[in-house]
Amino acid sequence: MSNPDPTELSPVSPRISPTASPRLAALAKAVLEGGTKARSSLRRRLVGELLAKAPRDYQTEIDVAVERIIVDALSTSFPSYAIKGEEAVGNRNAKDGAPIIYIDPIDGTTNFAWGIPHFGMTISIVEDAEIVAGVVYDAMLDELFSAELGGGSYLNGERIRCVSSKGIEDVLVGAGLPIPGQLKAVPEEIYFSALKRLMATTAGVRRLGSAALSIAYVACGRLDGFFEDGLSLHDYAASALLVREAGGEVTAFNGGPVTANGDVLAGNRVLHPWLVEGFQA
Ligand code: IPD
Ligand code: CA
Ligand code: CA
């Protein structure tokens, strides 16, 4: 008998907050549907099978197919919402002030394209310039992270919280390793010195390959902190909400609000100020 599809065994509601709104449930259902497609399509792809949207920025046919599944699942349920998907499969505008659905169908496409089973799938809703709901799904581990503003953060239906790390020697921090041209907020020397400081002082640095999942890992304590420059809202919105609702902080590298540069620094409350210090010239 073939392995059962985990999403068939797991209806949505026990996997999100008991107080979740119908719209969070709709995001969860859509991302689980997309996950079935992604999970069954993972394999090493050769470079000739990939579309390079820009140097080192790849797209597979599955990024597009998954975004299509998510758009089809959500567009009729949210007819007045704008849609901004990374692959622009069903993007649409809406009235000024309408909520916006952000979709990153596969966050970690490089991992996915090389057959590495670690990538996230993420959907969020931004309303009145605030992130109000979001899901991040690890299709390979069948882990569904979800959060709603004021409603807490959940992993497969269990409440999650950031861990308050103790000494700097005992923290594990995730970070992006930028490709050329990615850094927007700080010069290379500053970014690399922040990384070196982590290597010299912490338990270790992890570059896992999906910013969305790495930030979600801060929300559940698998990482104590994470930073990367040059991210987009579709990458980080859902997981930033997860961290905040799990008691952590998400800011720009200077400790202020995240800007269009997409420099995102997430951490538990104890570690976050120390990580910000690493970016002071
Ligand atoms: C990328 C992943 C990766 C990060 C890149 C992102 P994509 O998203 O999050 O971990 O380092 O900056 O662009 O392109 O795979 O959706
Ligand atoms: Ca992404
Ligand atoms: Ca993507």
Side-chain angles (χ1 to χ4, degrees):
M1 195 177 114
S2 61
N3 285 337
D5 175 345
T7 58
E8 276 171 26
L9 299 176
S10 322
V12 171
S13 46
R15 307 188 61 184
I16 56 181
S17 161
T19 60
S21 69
R23 72 177 173 179
L24 185 65
L27 300 193
K29 191 164 177 286
V31 87
L32 292 177
E33 270 172 46
T36 302
K37 175 75 181 170
R39 186 169 42 246
S40 62
S41 314
L42 182 72
R43 64 175 171 82
R44 166 72 204 242
R45 285 171 165 73
L46 300 177
V47 171
E49 298 175 82
L50 309 174
L51 174 76
K53 296 189 278 185
R56 306 180 181 86
D57 181 7
Y58 305 106
Q59 184 193 63
T60 71
E61 76 285 8
I62 304 303
D63 294 79
V64 175
V66 168
E67 190 166 304
R68 168 53 58 204
I69 290 168
I70 294 172
V71 167
D72 286 350
L74 295 179
S75 57
T76 46
S77 313
F78 299 96
S80 61
Y81 287 29
I83 297 180
K84 292 189 193 227
E86 182 183 11
E87 313 305 343
V89 163
N91 283 7
R92 68 182 185 208
N93 294 320
K95 277 197 195 138
D96 277 359
I100 304 168
I101 298 172
Y102 286 91
I103 304 166
D104 190 342
I106 296 193
D107 182 70
T109 293
T110 306
N111 278 357
F112 184 85
W114 264 254
I116 297 174
H118 182 83
F119 55 89
M121 313 177 65
T122 176
I123 315 174
S124 52
I125 298 177
V126 172
E127 191 168 30
D128 298 328
E130 212 163 11
I131 308 160
V132 294
V135 292
V136 181
Y137 184 49
D138 179 335
M140 303 313 294
L141 294 181
D142 191 29
E143 288 192 329
L144 177 65
F145 295 85
S146 61
E148 216 158 12
L149 189 63
S153 293
Y154 287 79
L155 165 53
N156 283 346
E158 300 287 329
R159 187 83 198 251
I160 50 172
R161 291 190 174 79
C162 294
V163 164
S164 280
S165 29
K166 297 171 188 80
I168 293 300
E169 241 177 58
D170 301 314
V171 299
L172 190 61
V173 181
L177 297 181
I179 57 171
Q182 186 180 340
L183 294 181
K184 304 267 183 337
V186 292
E188 243 175 48
E189 314 81 78
I190 302 268
Y191 195 90
F192 292 147
S193 83
L195 276 178
K196 265 174 89 175
R197 176 172 176 256
L198 296 182
M199 289 157 69
T201 49
T202 66
V205 186
R206 294 290 180 271
R207 197 288 189 252
L208 300 176
S210 161
L213 274 181
S214 291
I215 302 170
Y217 279 14
V218 176
C220 67
R222 292 177 186 165
L223 291 174
D224 298 283
F226 173 85
F227 60 76
E228 181 159 353
D229 197 358
L231 293 177
S232 301
L233 261 172
H234 60 245
D235 301 304
Y236 71 81
S239 34
L241 182 62
L242 278 159
V243 170
R244 291 179 182 135
E245 290 292 324
E249 302 270 359
V250 182
T251 66
F253 292 168
N254 64 9
V258 180
T259 69
N261 285 327
D263 52 319
V264 176
L265 193 161
N268 66 54
R269 289 230 164 108
V270 181
L271 184 64
H272 185 272
W274 184 84
L275 289 173
V276 169
E277 272 171 33
F279 287 94
Q280 312 306 309

PDB file of all heavy atoms in Angstrom, residues 43-70:
ATOM      1  N   ARG A  43      12.341  16.455  -6.639  1.00  0.00           N
ATOM      2  CA  ARG A  43      13.432  15.650  -7.203  1.00  0.00           C
ATOM      3  C   ARG A  43      14.525  16.605  -7.622  1.00  0.00           C
ATOM      4  O   ARG A  43      14.298  17.809  -7.742  1.00  0.00           O
ATOM      5  CB  ARG A  43      12.961  14.829  -8.412  1.00  0.00           C
ATOM      6  CG  ARG A  43      12.513  15.686  -9.582  1.00  0.00           C
ATOM      7  CD  ARG A  43      12.155  14.850 -10.814  1.00  0.00           C
ATOM      8  NE  ARG A  43      11.522  15.684 -11.835  1.00  0.00           N
ATOM      9  CZ  ARG A  43      12.168  16.458 -12.699  1.00  0.00           C
ATOM     10  NH1 ARG A  43      13.494  16.537 -12.684  1.00  0.00           N
ATOM     11  NH2 ARG A  43      11.503  17.181 -13.593  1.00  0.00           N
ATOM     12  N   ARG A  44      15.710  16.090  -7.857  1.00  0.00           N
ATOM     13  CA  ARG A  44      16.779  16.939  -8.380  1.00  0.00           C
ATOM     14  C   ARG A  44      16.428  17.352  -9.808  1.00  0.00           C
ATOM     15  O   ARG A  44      16.117  16.519 -10.652  1.00  0.00           O
ATOM     16  CB  ARG A  44      18.115  16.182  -8.357  1.00  0.00           C
ATOM     17  CG  ARG A  44      19.234  16.836  -9.175  1.00  0.00           C
ATOM     18  CD  ARG A  44      19.758  18.112  -8.521  1.00  0.00           C
ATOM     19  NE  ARG A  44      20.375  18.987  -9.506  1.00  0.00           N
ATOM     20  CZ  ARG A  44      21.660  19.348  -9.495  1.00  0.00           C
ATOM     21  NH1 ARG A  44      22.462  18.942  -8.550  1.00  0.00           N
ATOM     22  NH2 ARG A  44      22.123  20.159 -10.425  1.00  0.00           N
ATOM     23  N   ARG A  45      16.439  18.635 -10.039  1.00  0.00           N
ATOM     24  CA  ARG A  45      16.217  19.136 -11.395  1.00  0.00           C
ATOM     25  C   ARG A  45      17.551  19.623 -11.959  1.00  0.00           C
ATOM     26  O   ARG A  45      18.357  20.180 -11.200  1.00  0.00           O
ATOM     27  CB  ARG A  45      15.206  20.283 -11.377  1.00  0.00           C
ATOM     28  CG  ARG A  45      13.802  19.778 -11.161  1.00  0.00           C
ATOM     29  CD  ARG A  45      12.788  20.854 -10.911  1.00  0.00           C
ATOM     30  NE  ARG A  45      11.438  20.319 -11.061  1.00  0.00           N
ATOM     31  CZ  ARG A  45      10.829  19.512 -10.200  1.00  0.00           C
ATOM     32  NH1 ARG A  45      11.435  19.156  -9.090  1.00  0.00           N
ATOM     33  NH2 ARG A  45       9.606  19.069 -10.435  1.00  0.00           N
ATOM     34  N   LEU A  46      17.753  19.426 -13.236  1.00  0.00           N
ATOM     35  CA  LEU A  46      18.978  19.924 -13.849  1.00  0.00           C
ATOM     36  C   LEU A  46      18.771  21.392 -14.216  1.00  0.00           C
ATOM     37  O   LEU A  46      17.626  21.849 -14.388  1.00  0.00           O
ATOM     38  CB  LEU A  46      19.341  19.088 -15.073  1.00  0.00           C
ATOM     39  CG  LEU A  46      19.572  17.598 -14.725  1.00  0.00           C
ATOM     40  CD1 LEU A  46      19.859  16.778 -15.972  1.00  0.00           C
ATOM     41  CD2 LEU A  46      20.714  17.442 -13.704  1.00  0.00           C
ATOM     42  N   VAL A  47      19.879  22.095 -14.308  1.00  0.00           N
ATOM     43  CA  VAL A  47      19.761  23.541 -14.502  1.00  0.00           C
ATOM     44  C   VAL A  47      18.956  23.871 -15.764  1.00  0.00           C
ATOM     45  O   VAL A  47      18.187  24.834 -15.790  1.00  0.00           O
ATOM     46  CB  VAL A  47      21.173  24.186 -14.511  1.00  0.00           C
ATOM     47  CG1 VAL A  47      21.112  25.644 -14.935  1.00  0.00           C
ATOM     48  CG2 VAL A  47      21.771  24.093 -13.105  1.00  0.00           C
ATOM     49  N   GLY A  48      19.066  23.010 -16.782  1.00  0.00           N
ATOM     50  CA  GLY A  48      18.313  23.239 -18.020  1.00  0.00           C
ATOM     51  C   GLY A  48      16.799  23.163 -17.835  1.00  0.00           C
ATOM     52  O   GLY A  48      16.042  23.641 -18.668  1.00  0.00           O
ATOM     53  N   GLU A  49      16.352  22.571 -16.730  1.00  0.00           N
ATOM     54  CA  GLU A  49      14.909  22.456 -16.486  1.00  0.00           C
ATOM     55  C   GLU A  49      14.366  23.666 -15.726  1.00  0.00           C
ATOM     56  O   GLU A  49      13.169  23.753 -15.471  1.00  0.00           O
ATOM     57  CB  GLU A  49      14.612  21.209 -15.636  1.00  0.00           C
ATOM     58  CG  GLU A  49      14.997  19.900 -16.259  1.00  0.00           C
ATOM     59  CD  GLU A  49      14.763  18.758 -15.285  1.00  0.00           C
ATOM     60  OE1 GLU A  49      13.623  18.297 -15.168  1.00  0.00           O
ATOM     61  OE2 GLU A  49      15.734  18.345 -14.608  1.00  0.00           O
ATOM     62  N   LEU A  50      15.278  24.550 -15.326  1.00  0.00           N
ATOM     63  CA  LEU A  50      14.860  25.681 -14.482  1.00  0.00           C
ATOM     64  C   LEU A  50      14.792  26.947 -15.305  1.00  0.00           C
ATOM     65  O   LEU A  50      15.574  27.135 -16.229  1.00  0.00           O
ATOM     66  CB  LEU A  50      15.875  25.896 -13.352  1.00  0.00           C
ATOM     67  CG  LEU A  50      16.239  24.677 -12.516  1.00  0.00           C
ATOM     68  CD1 LEU A  50      17.352  25.033 -11.539  1.00  0.00           C
ATOM     69  CD2 LEU A  50      15.009  24.181 -11.783  1.00  0.00           C
ATOM     70  N   LEU A  51      13.879  27.817 -14.907  1.00  0.00           N
ATOM     71  CA  LEU A  51      13.875  29.155 -15.487  1.00  0.00           C
ATOM     72  C   LEU A  51      14.619  30.054 -14.504  1.00  0.00           C
ATOM     73  O   LEU A  51      14.307  30.046 -13.306  1.00  0.00           O
ATOM     74  CB  LEU A  51      12.427  29.630 -15.651  1.00  0.00           C
ATOM     75  CG  LEU A  51      12.264  31.070 -16.118  1.00  0.00           C
ATOM     76  CD1 LEU A  51      12.572  31.165 -17.612  1.00  0.00           C
ATOM     77  CD2 LEU A  51      10.837  31.559 -15.853  1.00  0.00           C
ATOM     78  N   ALA A  52      15.610  30.796 -14.989  1.00  0.00           N
ATOM     79  CA  ALA A  52      16.284  31.754 -14.100  1.00  0.00           C
ATOM     80  C   ALA A  52      15.640  33.120 -14.327  1.00  0.00           C
ATOM     81  O   ALA A  52      15.791  33.720 -15.380  1.00  0.00           O
ATOM     82  CB  ALA A  52      17.777  31.791 -14.391  1.00  0.00           C
ATOM     83  N   LYS A  53      14.879  33.589 -13.308  1.00  0.00           N
ATOM     84  CA  LYS A  53      14.199  34.881 -13.431  1.00  0.00           C
ATOM     85  C   LYS A  53      15.232  35.995 -13.431  1.00  0.00           C
ATOM     86  O   LYS A  53      15.058  37.058 -13.983  1.00  0.00           O
ATOM     87  CB  LYS A  53      13.211  35.062 -12.273  1.00  0.00           C
ATOM     88  CG  LYS A  53      12.089  34.027 -12.295  1.00  0.00           C
ATOM     89  CD  LYS A  53      11.002  34.333 -11.292  1.00  0.00           C
ATOM     90  CE  LYS A  53      11.389  33.862  -9.913  1.00  0.00           C
ATOM     91  NZ  LYS A  53      10.304  34.028  -8.935  1.00  0.00           N
ATOM     92  N   ALA A  54      16.331  35.726 -12.737  1.00  0.00           N
ATOM     93  CA  ALA A  54      17.506  36.602 -12.683  1.00  0.00           C
ATOM     94  C   ALA A  54      18.640  35.643 -12.341  1.00  0.00           C
ATOM     95  O   ALA A  54      18.364  34.499 -11.966  1.00  0.00           O
ATOM     96  CB  ALA A  54      17.322  37.661 -11.597  1.00  0.00           C
ATOM     97  N   PRO A  55      19.910  36.083 -12.456  1.00  0.00           N
ATOM     98  CA  PRO A  55      20.967  35.143 -12.095  1.00  0.00           C
ATOM     99  C   PRO A  55      20.753  34.596 -10.686  1.00  0.00           C
ATOM    100  O   PRO A  55      20.506  35.363  -9.745  1.00  0.00           O
ATOM    101  CB  PRO A  55      22.239  35.990 -12.181  1.00  0.00           C
ATOM    102  CG  PRO A  55      21.882  37.089 -13.140  1.00  0.00           C
ATOM    103  CD  PRO A  55      20.415  37.357 -12.941  1.00  0.00           C
ATOM    104  N   ARG A  56      20.783  33.281 -10.545  1.00  0.00           N
ATOM    105  CA  ARG A  56      20.629  32.559  -9.268  1.00  0.00           C
ATOM    106  C   ARG A  56      19.238  32.715  -8.627  1.00  0.00           C
ATOM    107  O   ARG A  56      19.056  32.471  -7.450  1.00  0.00           O
ATOM    108  CB  ARG A  56      21.676  33.016  -8.240  1.00  0.00           C
ATOM    109  CG  ARG A  56      23.117  32.940  -8.711  1.00  0.00           C
ATOM    110  CD  ARG A  56      23.997  33.413  -7.578  1.00  0.00           C
ATOM    111  NE  ARG A  56      25.399  33.407  -7.902  1.00  0.00           N
ATOM    112  CZ  ARG A  56      26.030  34.405  -8.516  1.00  0.00           C
ATOM    113  NH1 ARG A  56      25.362  35.474  -8.911  1.00  0.00           N
ATOM    114  NH2 ARG A  56      27.326  34.325  -8.733  1.00  0.00           N
ATOM    115  N   ASP A  57      18.255  33.176  -9.386  1.00  0.00           N
ATOM    116  CA  ASP A  57      16.887  33.295  -8.867  1.00  0.00           C
ATOM    117  C   ASP A  57      16.008  32.404  -9.743  1.00  0.00           C
ATOM    118  O   ASP A  57      15.593  32.803 -10.822  1.00  0.00           O
ATOM    119  CB  ASP A  57      16.430  34.766  -8.917  1.00  0.00           C
ATOM    120  CG  ASP A  57      15.024  34.943  -8.365  1.00  0.00           C
ATOM    121  OD1 ASP A  57      14.460  33.966  -7.819  1.00  0.00           O
ATOM    122  OD2 ASP A  57      14.474  36.059  -8.492  1.00  0.00           O
ATOM    123  N   TYR A  58      15.750  31.179  -9.271  1.00  0.00           N
ATOM    124  CA  TYR A  58      15.150  30.161 -10.133  1.00  0.00           C
ATOM    125  C   TYR A  58      13.647  30.055  -9.950  1.00  0.00           C
ATOM    126  O   TYR A  58      13.092  30.423  -8.928  1.00  0.00           O
ATOM    127  CB  TYR A  58      15.775  28.795  -9.818  1.00  0.00           C
ATOM    128  CG  TYR A  58      17.277  28.792  -9.925  1.00  0.00           C
ATOM    129  CD1 TYR A  58      18.067  28.758  -8.772  1.00  0.00           C
ATOM    130  CD2 TYR A  58      17.900  28.836 -11.161  1.00  0.00           C
ATOM    131  CE1 TYR A  58      19.454  28.772  -8.858  1.00  0.00           C
ATOM    132  CE2 TYR A  58      19.283  28.849 -11.258  1.00  0.00           C
ATOM    133  CZ  TYR A  58      20.052  28.812 -10.106  1.00  0.00           C
ATOM    134  OH  TYR A  58      21.415  28.829 -10.199  1.00  0.00           O
ATOM    135  N   GLN A  59      13.028  29.497 -10.989  1.00  0.00           N
ATOM    136  CA  GLN A  59      11.609  29.138 -10.905  1.00  0.00           C
ATOM    137  C   GLN A  59      11.471  27.735 -11.506  1.00  0.00           C
ATOM    138  O   GLN A  59      12.046  27.456 -12.557  1.00  0.00           O
ATOM    139  CB  GLN A  59      10.782  30.116 -11.740  1.00  0.00           C
ATOM    140  CG  GLN A  59       9.292  29.914 -11.649  1.00  0.00           C
ATOM    141  CD  GLN A  59       8.557  30.698 -12.740  1.00  0.00           C
ATOM    142  OE1 GLN A  59       8.739  30.451 -13.937  1.00  0.00           O
ATOM    143  NE2 GLN A  59       7.737  31.646 -12.325  1.00  0.00           N
ATOM    144  N   THR A  60      10.731  26.870 -10.821  1.00  0.00           N
ATOM    145  CA  THR A  60      10.419  25.560 -11.419  1.00  0.00           C
ATOM    146  C   THR A  60       8.950  25.596 -11.842  1.00  0.00           C
ATOM    147  O   THR A  60       8.191  26.492 -11.442  1.00  0.00           O
ATOM    148  CB  THR A  60      10.598  24.408 -10.409  1.00  0.00           C
ATOM    149  OG1 THR A  60       9.556  24.488  -9.432  1.00  0.00           O
ATOM    150  CG2 THR A  60      11.959  24.452  -9.721  1.00  0.00           C
ATOM    151  N   GLU A  61       8.570  24.583 -12.610  1.00  0.00           N
ATOM    152  CA  GLU A  61       7.162  24.508 -13.020  1.00  0.00           C
ATOM    153  C   GLU A  61       6.273  24.305 -11.794  1.00  0.00           C
ATOM    154  O   GLU A  61       5.084  24.638 -11.805  1.00  0.00           O
ATOM    155  CB  GLU A  61       6.968  23.408 -14.085  1.00  0.00           C
ATOM    156  CG  GLU A  61       6.968  21.963 -13.591  1.00  0.00           C
ATOM    157  CD  GLU A  61       8.350  21.394 -13.219  1.00  0.00           C
ATOM    158  OE1 GLU A  61       9.345  22.150 -13.192  1.00  0.00           O
ATOM    159  OE2 GLU A  61       8.416  20.172 -12.939  1.00  0.00           O
ATOM    160  N   ILE A  62       6.852  23.815 -10.700  1.00  0.00           N
ATOM    161  CA  ILE A  62       6.052  23.553  -9.497  1.00  0.00           C
ATOM    162  C   ILE A  62       5.764  24.852  -8.726  1.00  0.00           C
ATOM    163  O   ILE A  62       4.706  24.989  -8.116  1.00  0.00           O
ATOM    164  CB  ILE A  62       6.731  22.487  -8.611  1.00  0.00           C
ATOM    165  CG1 ILE A  62       6.977  21.209  -9.426  1.00  0.00           C
ATOM    166  CG2 ILE A  62       5.891  22.170  -7.373  1.00  0.00           C
ATOM    167  CD1 ILE A  62       5.739  20.587 -10.064  1.00  0.00           C
ATOM    168  N   ASP A  63       6.688  25.821  -8.771  1.00  0.00           N
ATOM    169  CA  ASP A  63       6.372  27.131  -8.161  1.00  0.00           C
ATOM    170  C   ASP A  63       5.076  27.669  -8.775  1.00  0.00           C
ATOM    171  O   ASP A  63       4.186  28.162  -8.071  1.00  0.00           O
ATOM    172  CB  ASP A  63       7.494  28.142  -8.430  1.00  0.00           C
ATOM    173  CG  ASP A  63       8.805  27.794  -7.745  1.00  0.00           C
ATOM    174  OD1 ASP A  63       9.537  26.916  -8.270  1.00  0.00           O
ATOM    175  OD2 ASP A  63       9.099  28.368  -6.699  1.00  0.00           O
ATOM    176  N   VAL A  64       5.001  27.562 -10.097  1.00  0.00           N
ATOM    177  CA  VAL A  64       3.832  28.093 -10.811  1.00  0.00           C
ATOM    178  C   VAL A  64       2.594  27.233 -10.518  1.00  0.00           C
ATOM    179  O   VAL A  64       1.515  27.756 -10.215  1.00  0.00           O
ATOM    180  CB  VAL A  64       4.124  28.137 -12.335  1.00  0.00           C
ATOM    181  CG1 VAL A  64       2.890  28.562 -13.118  1.00  0.00           C
ATOM    182  CG2 VAL A  64       5.304  29.066 -12.617  1.00  0.00           C
ATOM    183  N   ALA A  65       2.764  25.913 -10.557  1.00  0.00           N
ATOM    184  CA  ALA A  65       1.607  25.025 -10.348  1.00  0.00           C
ATOM    185  C   ALA A  65       1.039  25.184  -8.938  1.00  0.00           C
ATOM    186  O   ALA A  65      -0.181  25.205  -8.742  1.00  0.00           O
ATOM    187  CB  ALA A  65       2.027  23.575 -10.598  1.00  0.00           C
ATOM    188  N   VAL A  66       1.932  25.320  -7.956  1.00  0.00           N
ATOM    189  CA  VAL A  66       1.453  25.449  -6.569  1.00  0.00           C
ATOM    190  C   VAL A  66       0.755  26.800  -6.391  1.00  0.00           C
ATOM    191  O   VAL A  66      -0.299  26.889  -5.757  1.00  0.00           O
ATOM    192  CB  VAL A  66       2.627  25.292  -5.572  1.00  0.00           C
ATOM    193  CG1 VAL A  66       2.202  25.712  -4.173  1.00  0.00           C
ATOM    194  CG2 VAL A  66       3.124  23.853  -5.557  1.00  0.00           C
ATOM    195  N   GLU A  67       1.355  27.840  -6.971  1.00  0.00           N
ATOM    196  CA  GLU A  67       0.685  29.151  -6.820  1.00  0.00           C
ATOM    197  C   GLU A  67      -0.702  29.102  -7.473  1.00  0.00           C
ATOM    198  O   GLU A  67      -1.663  29.670  -6.954  1.00  0.00           O
ATOM    199  CB  GLU A  67       1.544  30.274  -7.406  1.00  0.00           C
ATOM    200  CG  GLU A  67       0.982  31.648  -7.039  1.00  0.00           C
ATOM    201  CD  GLU A  67       1.949  32.777  -7.298  1.00  0.00           C
ATOM    202  OE1 GLU A  67       3.074  32.735  -6.766  1.00  0.00           O
ATOM    203  OE2 GLU A  67       1.582  33.726  -8.028  1.00  0.00           O
ATOM    204  N   ARG A  68      -0.823  28.399  -8.575  1.00  0.00           N
ATOM    205  CA  ARG A  68      -2.127  28.266  -9.245  1.00  0.00           C
ATOM    206  C   ARG A  68      -3.135  27.572  -8.317  1.00  0.00           C
ATOM    207  O   ARG A  68      -4.271  27.996  -8.162  1.00  0.00           O
ATOM    208  CB  ARG A  68      -1.910  27.488 -10.558  1.00  0.00           C
ATOM    209  CG  ARG A  68      -3.098  26.977 -11.302  1.00  0.00           C
ATOM    210  CD  ARG A  68      -4.191  27.997 -11.635  1.00  0.00           C
ATOM    211  NE  ARG A  68      -3.752  29.133 -12.433  1.00  0.00           N
ATOM    212  CZ  ARG A  68      -4.375  30.329 -12.437  1.00  0.00           C
ATOM    213  NH1 ARG A  68      -5.457  30.543 -11.711  1.00  0.00           N
ATOM    214  NH2 ARG A  68      -3.924  31.311 -13.167  1.00  0.00           N
ATOM    215  N   ILE A  69      -2.695  26.509  -7.645  1.00  0.00           N
ATOM    216  CA  ILE A  69      -3.583  25.784  -6.722  1.00  0.00           C
ATOM    217  C   ILE A  69      -4.051  26.735  -5.611  1.00  0.00           C
ATOM    218  O   ILE A  69      -5.231  26.787  -5.250  1.00  0.00           O
ATOM    219  CB  ILE A  69      -2.842  24.563  -6.116  1.00  0.00           C
ATOM    220  CG1 ILE A  69      -2.635  23.495  -7.199  1.00  0.00           C
ATOM    221  CG2 ILE A  69      -3.589  23.985  -4.906  1.00  0.00           C
ATOM    222  CD1 ILE A  69      -1.677  22.362  -6.815  1.00  0.00           C
ATOM    223  N   ILE A  70      -3.104  27.525  -5.082  1.00  0.00           N
ATOM    224  CA  ILE A  70      -3.437  28.425  -3.962  1.00  0.00           C
ATOM    225  C   ILE A  70      -4.371  29.540  -4.438  1.00  0.00           C
ATOM    226  O   ILE A  70      -5.380  29.857  -3.789  1.00  0.00           O
ATOM    227  CB  ILE A  70      -2.152  28.990  -3.323  1.00  0.00           C
ATOM    228  CG1 ILE A  70      -1.366  27.845  -2.666  1.00  0.00           C
ATOM    229  CG2 ILE A  70      -2.475  30.094  -2.309  1.00  0.00           C
ATOM    230  CD1 ILE A  70       0.026  28.224  -2.161  1.00  0.00           C
TER     231      ILE A  70
END
